[in-house]
Amino acid sequence: MAAASTSSQSDIITPSSNDDLKIIVESNIPPSRLSELGINSWPKWGCPPGKYTLKFDALETCYLVKGKVKVYPKGSSISTDNNDFVEFGAGDLVIIPKGLSCTWDVLIAVDKHYKFDSNSTTT
């Protein structure tokens, strides 16, 4: 598939205690793939910089139009010494697993398109 060769994907295991809950970040998404996914028809959400405690009750796929976020799994500390985080920003397509509890450290205000899959399951 042509899109796979032009985008870069990295699987990042978020909580060290549960390998099934990983955030997947894809960068350099071609416009054709965004169109195929129907990103522009998804709802939009935004927030200012700050720290937000979140629990995902459904799998979320989102595309960041702007912003920069560091996501820390529940139980990890938010500090410059902590390397247990996932970072993503404008232009990234992000898949967040159902069941993940985390803190979003929003460094630059976020504007994103998102969709939830309420039928998602964790295994």
Side-chain angles (χ1 to χ4, degrees):
M1 180 165 116
S5 63
T6 58
S7 66
S8 62
Q9 178 177 333
S10 57
D11 292 353
I12 303 168
I13 297 175
T14 305
S16 55
S17 62
N18 189 340
D19 291 349
D20 292 335
L21 298 179
K22 61 185 172 184
I23 294 175
I24 298 170
V25 179
E26 283 186 62
S27 300
N28 304 314
I29 308 301
S32 60
R33 175 123 187 266
L34 296 176
S35 179
E36 179 183 301
L37 290 169
I39 297 288
N40 288 329
S41 68
W42 296 358
K44 283 184 99 174
W45 180 84
C47 69
K51 293 177 177 56
Y52 304 89
T53 301
L54 303 169
K55 179 168 193 300
F56 290 84
D57 294 325
L59 181 136
E60 179 182 331
T61 302
C62 62
Y63 178 74
L64 269 72
V65 177
K66 58 183 172 180
K68 185 174 181 181
V69 179
K70 286 185 180 180
V71 177
Y72 295 85
K74 183 177 180 180
S76 68
S77 65
I78 299 176
S79 71
T80 55
D81 298 338
N82 182 1
N83 291 325
D84 191 18
F85 66 87
V86 177
E87 185 170 353
F88 49 86
D92 289 339
L93 183 69
V94 183
I95 300 172
I96 303 166
K98 177 181 177 179
L100 179 67
S101 292
C102 59
T103 298
W104 278 40
D105 185 5
V106 177
L107 306 171
I108 299 172
V110 166
D111 186 14
K112 70 175 185 173
H113 288 280
Y114 70 94
K115 74 171 184 173
F116 290 108
D117 178 2
S118 59
N119 296 322
S120 63
T121 59
T122 56
T123 54

